[in-house]
Every structure is written in C-alpha cells, then in structure tokens.
C-alpha cells in the first residue's frame, strides 16, 4: 500500500476476531465476513494505487 493509504489492520482484525468468538456461530460468521471485506478493501486500495501510478506514467509519456 502506498504510504498515503497505509494502515496497520492487525489491531482491527484482532478485535473483529475477538468479537467473532464472543458472538457465537451467527456472530462469528458476521464478523468473519466483515474482516474479509476489510482485507479486500485494503487489497483494492493497493490495486487503485498501482493503477493510479500507471495512469500517471501513461499521461506523462503522452505529454512528451
């Protein structure tokens, strides 16, 4: 992740795991799904950052 968007998710994921264990089967599934979404969002941000860099490089090349 770029430094502008870099966040340590370990604390949030640990808390979601604790909530999942405390809430039983249905709660576990809910909090597990939330943690998966959080991880996916971080991955998507990485992809957005990468594509943004590529786009800027293409624009710079095009301006030449």
């Amino acid at each position: 992740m770029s430094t502008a968007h870099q966040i340590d998710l370990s604390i949030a994921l640990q808390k979601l795991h604790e909530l999942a264990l405390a809430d039983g089967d249905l709660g576990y599934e809910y909090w597990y799904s939330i943690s998966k979404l959080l991880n996916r969002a971080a991955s998507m941000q990485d992809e957005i950052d990468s594509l943004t860099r590529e786009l800027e490089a293409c624009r710079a090349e095009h301006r030449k």
Side-chain angles (χ1 to χ4, degrees):
M1 223 182 268
S2 73
T3 50
H5 297 110
Q6 193 168 15
I7 298 174
D8 181 7
L9 298 179
S10 62
I11 296 170
L13 292 172
Q14 178 60 38
K15 185 61 179 177
L16 290 172
H17 181 70
E18 291 170 10
L19 290 169
L21 293 176
D23 280 350
D25 290 343
L26 289 176
Y28 184 86
E29 184 62 32
Y30 174 78
W31 292 114
Y32 178 73
S33 296
I34 297 297
S35 66
K36 284 181 16 182
L37 286 171
L38 185 58
N39 277 317
R40 287 186 63 210
S43 294
M44 292 169 83
Q45 186 61 57
D46 287 342
E47 184 68 19
I48 290 167
D49 293 344
S50 174
L51 291 171
T52 299
R53 286 189 299 274
E54 284 185 47
L55 179 59
E56 288 303 315
C58 289
R59 285 180 176 163
E61 188 65 31
H62 187 298
R63 284 190 285 263
K64 290 183 180 179

